[in-house]
Amino acid sequence: MRFLKTFFIIVILILFCQNIFAQLGFKNTGRNGLIGEARPNSIVVSAGGNYYFGDIERTGMFSKNFANYVNWYGQIGYRRTFFTEHLKIKTVALVGALRGEKEGYDLKTKIFEPDLIFEYYPFRKKAKKCNCPDEIIGIYLYGGVGVAFSKIVLDVQKYNQVFHKTTIAPMCALGIGYRKYISANWQLGFELGYRFVIGVDTIKFSLDGFPIIPENTKWSKWRDGFYTFGITVAYNF
């Protein structure tokens, strides 16, 4: 719980400090919803599929039975330009379901994950036909941290037992995406991401509740995580 309190304190401090800098005059005059413009804020919604990997999947990053590990996710967030036109900060809440099945194990997990994420837009396109400011291209990289709350149902057929567990885990989020303006306020795009548990993999701090027996740490050789691939819609104001 100390990690969770620290996480929310950092979010509040970053957003508070950014507003102070904006009021002091640290503003850009470019396009695309930058600080000091009419649309520096965004509501961003994403949805799509995810692919779990962890201790259920011990043969590699992707299973031959790919469909057994695919499920859904959705997230909503608030995004704001952060000091420079190339950087944005976003707070999001992700919900979804993870799924795994192999060697007598059947995993079903419901997950809720709040995150603090930075988006970095490295590319710029020069305006050729007018004296307009250069345009930031919608390709971006993102990274951040969060905390995952998981409700796990693990059916262990070889033990003939079903385990119900609730876990918490510190998470890291990495990914790449692209967004394009389809009107003055709306953007449409896609995103590929990777989220994984930071530094731990135990019964209480994981996404899948492994190892079932604490002494069997060899069951916990994979860092729990999941890929996401989805569509994003952003409303800028």
Side-chain angles (χ1 to χ4, degrees):
M1 295 305 294
R2 180 177 299 178
F3 176 86
L4 183 60
K5 292 179 181 178
T6 303
F7 172 76
F8 284 114
I9 290 173
I10 292 173
V11 172
I12 293 171
L13 287 177
I14 288 177
L15 294 177
F16 177 73
C17 291
Q18 186 200 357
N19 287 332
I20 291 178
F21 272 82
Q23 292 172 12
L24 290 175
F26 291 86
K27 299 181 180 181
N28 284 291
T29 57
R31 301 172 60 194
N32 301 316
L34 308 181
I35 295 177
E37 285 193 30
R39 295 186 295 273
N41 307 288
S42 306
I43 299 297
V44 184
V45 178
S46 305
N50 68 55
Y51 179 89
Y52 155 86
F53 68 92
D55 299 298
I56 297 293
E57 172 57 281
R58 289 183 285 171
T59 61
M61 290 297 187
F62 295 97
S63 172
K64 295 180 180 179
N65 301 317
F66 185 88
N68 293 342
Y69 298 84
V70 175
N71 219 309
W72 64 273
Y73 87 97
Q75 68 179 20
I76 185 169
Y78 166 73
R79 182 184 65 185
R80 182 177 175 85
T81 304
F82 191 68
F83 296 140
T84 170
E85 58 191 49
H86 291 278
L87 188 64
K88 295 180 183 291
I89 186 171
K90 180 172 67 174
T91 57
V92 302
L94 178 146
V95 295
L98 305 180
R99 177 183 176 190
E101 179 181 321
K102 185 184 173 91
E103 299 176 355
Y105 299 97
D106 187 358
L107 170 71
K108 294 180 180 178
T109 299
K110 295 180 180 178
I111 184 172
F112 170 71
E113 180 182 335
D115 295 310
L116 176 65
I117 291 175
F118 287 92
E119 295 179 351
Y120 175 60
Y121 296 75
F123 303 113
R124 180 191 295 266
K125 181 174 66 175
K126 289 191 175 293
K128 297 180 179 180
K129 297 183 179 180
C130 64
N131 293 323
C132 304
D134 295 343
E135 180 181 355
I136 300 297
I137 300 176
I139 299 173
Y140 60 92
L141 305 173
Y142 72 82
V145 293
V147 58
F149 301 89
S150 302
K151 186 176 182 180
I152 300 167
V153 178
L154 181 61
D155 186 354
V156 185
Q157 298 168 9
K158 69 177 184 179
Y159 289 165
N160 196 28
Q161 294 187 41
V162 178
F163 296 85
H164 295 262
K165 303 179 181 181
T166 301
T167 65
I168 183 174
M171 301 292 292
C172 180
L174 301 172
I176 185 171
Y178 174 75
R179 293 194 187 96
K180 181 178 178 60
Y181 277 91
I182 57 176
S183 73
N185 294 90
W186 291 93
Q187 288 176 296
L188 181 65
F190 64 89
E191 211 170 67
L192 301 176
Y194 168 44
R195 284 174 163 83
F196 60 93
V197 179
I198 304 173
V200 293
D201 191 1
T202 65
I203 294 177
K204 295 182 179 180
F205 301 98
S206 65
L207 299 179
D208 52 23
F210 266 65
I212 302 172
I213 303 172
E215 290 76 14
N216 288 347
T217 55
K218 65 180 181 180
W219 291 2
S220 208
K221 62 183 294 186
W222 287 105
R223 181 73 62 206
D224 295 345
F226 59 97
Y227 300 105
T228 57
F229 37 98
I231 301 299
T232 67
V233 177
Y235 176 74
N236 305 284
F237 60 96

